[in-house]
Amino acid sequence: MEPTPNAPADETALNAAFEAKIAAGDSIEPKDWMPERYRKQLTRMMSQHAHSEIVGMLPEGNWITRAPSLRRKMSLIAKVQDEAGHGLYIYCGTETLGVDRFDLYNQLLDGSAKYSSIFNYPTLSWADMGVIGWLVDGAAIVNQTVLAKTSYGPYARAMVRICKEENFHKRQGYEICATLAAGTPAQREMLQDAVNRFWWPALMMFGPSDKDSPNSAELLRWRVKRKTNDELRQRFVNLTVPQAQAIGITLPDPDLRYNEATKNWDFGEIDWAEFFEVIKGNGPCNKERLAARNKAHDDGRWVREAATAYAEKQAKKRQTEAA
Amino acid sequence: MSDSHWPLWEVFTQGAQGEPFEHAGSLHATDAEHALQNARDVYARRGEAVNLWVVPSTAITASAPSDAGPFFDPGNDKAYRHPQFYKVPRGVKVF
């Protein structure tokens, strides 16, 4: 039975049932009653996540034609194709909350939607492809492994699927880094330069510090988030430092040191001013990414039109045959 | 009809011969054939399926979560439908 809108008396009972479900660790499914704010927060998080997957294709798609070998090229094509697939999983998940993918997509194209700030940095060298796989996908995996246990069922299921595939992304990236690290001095230098540029933006991917993250408490209570931004960031740093050491690469942070007491790698202060500038649309590539996304959408129009025309023709043919 | 308003299809994958079909997700496509091809590209890039079903989302009728209690109740209080309900002489192996 659908709950009648504008029935506050009922809403109290529905809300209590919802909170009980959350407390019991049950998943919330599309047809379950949920508070408007829960629906809104999830729509925001999931659509931003889907947009990030789609925009994430651009910095890497940029290097497909310049991959140094056929092996690297095949991997990169497969990775970019995966990102498109991940975008689709999450758009479809978001649609279960009652929004139309068309509207979400238009928000991305007209620039009103947000996506991960990391994709607004340029990819200047081949080493960036390695470092993106290693650090950017590595950070995404840390985030998504926890999201796989989020309280909204369709989001959690999409994350399980995505996590399986992201592991290939990270390993192919780390392999590129390890290969360059064992290469010529010029290759090592190229790799170190890429790490220097991407390390801090990768740390920013986990979002603002807990003290500046106003939504966190509510999202944690609803089990949408299972760990705070800072907890996830620390986990990522702890995982990554030994990987950098293994290939002899320096992470660009003079304050990075192991803390015996906490068993964590302590790291320096993040430049949050830069983070908020990029989020606001003033990053190095915000305009370029949007323009590229719009161009891809426009260039693909004939494919969509052809598919529609073909389906209409087939439907007509079936009708004539039936008659 | 723009791409946005292509109908929604639910995708079910069978992981191996003999296994049941499982819901994988959904996608938009112009017709059933197009939906099958998209489903292959979106949900079976790594051999996750040996067979696919695509079903128009509008064709699915689902039970309502808010009625789950009373709806499934008839099955919940019949312990005699389970083998543990029946006593067997000590020491006898039934299976």
Side-chain angles (χ1 to χ4, degrees):
Chain A
M1 216 168 67
E2 289 294 312
T4 11
N6 309 323
D10 279 347
E11 195 144 306
T12 318
L14 288 167
N15 200 41
F18 170 83
E19 294 284 352
K21 245 184 156 173
I22 294 277
D26 287 349
S27 76
I28 305 297
E29 294 299 328
K31 293 182 79 183
D32 290 342
W33 185 89
M34 60 188 91
E36 257 329 286
R37 190 157 164 78
Y38 180 88
R39 188 183 296 276
K40 232 181 165 160
Q41 289 282 25
L42 269 159
T43 307
R44 179 184 64 83
M45 275 180 73
M46 291 176 74
S47 60
Q48 284 180 12
H49 195 160
H51 295 327
S52 302
E53 301 283 354
I54 298 298
V55 178
M57 290 192 278
L58 298 170
E60 293 181 305
N62 180 32
W63 275 92
I64 288 175
T65 55
R66 292 175 288 170
S69 70
L70 185 59
R71 184 175 185 273
R72 295 285 187 230
K73 191 173 189 163
M74 288 190 308
S75 303
L76 195 56
I77 291 173
K79 180 176 190 286
V80 171
Q81 191 195 16
D82 273 351
E83 307 297 1
H86 297 177
L88 289 175
Y89 303 159
I90 313 173
Y91 278 131
C92 288
T94 318
E95 286 194 311
T96 65
L97 290 162
V99 286
D100 193 320
R101 182 182 62 163
F102 180 66
D103 297 330
L104 298 176
Y105 216 72
N106 277 337
Q107 287 162 15
L108 176 63
L109 292 172
D110 72 20
S112 59
K114 280 192 182 135
Y115 54 85
S116 181
S117 55
I118 192 86
F119 301 118
N120 289 319
Y121 291 87
T123 43
L124 304 176
S125 74
W126 170 251
D128 289 14
M129 294 304 100
V131 171
I132 285 182
W134 174 33
L135 297 181
V136 176
D137 289 271
I141 291 171
V142 168
N143 215 352
Q144 289 167 350
T145 309
V146 181
L147 277 175
K149 293 176 215 126
T150 189
S151 58
Y152 189 56
Y155 197 18
R157 290 191 286 275
M159 284 304 115
V160 170
R161 195 174 283 278
I162 288 175
C163 283
K164 277 190 206 154
E165 301 184 353
E166 292 275 358
N167 282 327
F168 135 63
H169 299 178
K170 182 177 173 181
R171 282 179 74 116
Q172 68 90 34
Y174 192 58
E175 189 192 271
I176 293 173
C177 293
T179 306
L180 291 174
T184 64
Q187 287 173 324
R188 288 188 62 83
E189 201 178 308
M190 177 169 74
L191 175 63
Q192 184 63 59
D193 171 66
V195 171
N196 291 350
R197 283 182 286 110
F198 276 99
W199 173 248
W200 291 106
L203 292 191
M204 293 176 198
M205 282 174 68
F206 296 94
S209 168
D210 294 347
K211 57 182 192 301
D212 298 317
S213 182
N215 294 325
S216 275
E218 184 181 59
L219 293 175
L220 284 164
R221 191 169 60 78
W222 278 335
R223 295 182 196 249
V224 173
K225 280 188 172 187
R226 308 300 303 263
K227 300 265 178 207
T228 71
N229 296 353
D230 287 336
E231 282 171 335
L232 293 171
R233 190 168 8 248
Q234 185 65 61
R235 180 184 290 189
F236 172 70
V237 173
N238 291 351
L239 277 171
T240 309
V241 173
Q243 293 162 359
Q245 289 171 336
I247 56 171
I249 280 295
T250 310
L251 297 173
D253 179 357
D255 298 323
L256 192 67
R257 57 180 57 88
Y258 191 67
N259 184 328
E260 278 294 343
T262 61
K263 308 276 180 221
N264 284 326
W265 281 89
D266 292 340
F267 52 94
E269 189 59 35
I270 292 171
D271 182 357
W272 291 115
E274 176 183 319
F275 172 77
F276 287 112
E277 272 307 298
V278 179
I279 289 279
K280 262 194 285 176
N282 301 324
C285 293
N286 294 55
K287 288 193 181 69
E288 193 186 322
R289 298 290 182 240
L290 262 194
R293 189 61 228 132
N294 272 288
K295 183 175 184 298
H297 189 72
D298 293 342
D299 289 352
R301 174 161 291 132
W302 72 272
V303 179
R304 298 191 294 274
E305 284 172 358
T308 305
Y310 179 77
E312 280 165 0
K313 205 168 123 190
Q314 292 299 313
K316 225 175 259 165
K317 214 162 116 188
R318 277 193 298 272
Q319 250 173 12
T320 332
E321 277 165 10
Chain B
M1 183 167 70
S2 72
D3 63 323
S4 56
H5 303 118
W6 289 350
L8 189 63
W9 302 77
E10 300 298 327
V11 179
F12 298 81
T13 53
Q14 186 186 33
Q17 286 296 343
E19 283 184 6
F21 282 74
E22 222 177 77
H23 185 239
S26 59
L27 49 79
H28 292 266
T30 50
D31 61 13
E33 189 190 350
H34 186 204
L36 263 186
Q37 287 172 354
N38 281 1
R40 176 201 57 200
D41 293 344
V42 178
Y43 294 104
R45 282 194 301 283
R46 290 181 173 79
E48 294 97 330
V50 294
N51 276 304
L52 287 173
W53 287 347
V54 289
V55 181
S57 302
T58 49
I60 292 181
T61 309
S63 60
S66 52
D67 285 347
F71 187 74
F72 292 106
D73 186 46
N76 288 342
D77 60 349
K78 294 176 180 62
Y80 50 86
R81 284 178 173 164
H82 298 280
Q84 294 82 352
F85 182 76
Y86 299 95
K87 291 189 182 71
V88 171
R90 191 180 287 272
V92 177
K93 270 198 176 157
V94 182
F95 300 105

